[in-house]
Amino acid sequence: MLEHLYVEMCSERAELVFFLHEDIGDGATGAVLRLWGSVARGIPQLGSWVVLDDITMRPIDPF
């Protein structure tokens, strides 16, 4: 259900933004934590990276 991943450099760090399919609903935070955990386990250099925040953005229905 990962649609895409956005990476942005901010000062001395990289910030990753996960975009998940809207059907995942309230499970988004858990899904991102699982995805990130899987990536961090596979790349030891990322072991010190953490999830700073999570927000849910829903599209506005114009109709």
Side-chain angles (χ1 to χ4, degrees):
M1 304 294 276
L2 178 65
E3 289 192 359
H4 65 280
L5 178 65
Y6 174 77
V7 180
E8 178 175 81
M9 292 303 298
C10 296
S11 299
E12 298 292 318
R13 68 177 190 227
E15 294 187 354
L16 286 71
V17 181
F18 292 80
F19 289 85
L20 305 178
H21 192 277
E22 65 184 40
D23 287 348
I24 203 162
D26 294 335
T29 298
V32 166
L33 291 174
R34 284 189 304 278
L35 283 166
W36 178 247
S38 178
V39 169
R41 278 189 303 278
I43 305 173
Q45 296 88 336
L46 299 179
S48 64
W49 289 35
V50 297
V51 175
L52 297 176
D53 197 4
D54 65 85
I55 60 171
T56 300
M57 296 173 42
R58 304 233 187 254
I60 297 173
D61 186 357
F63 301 104

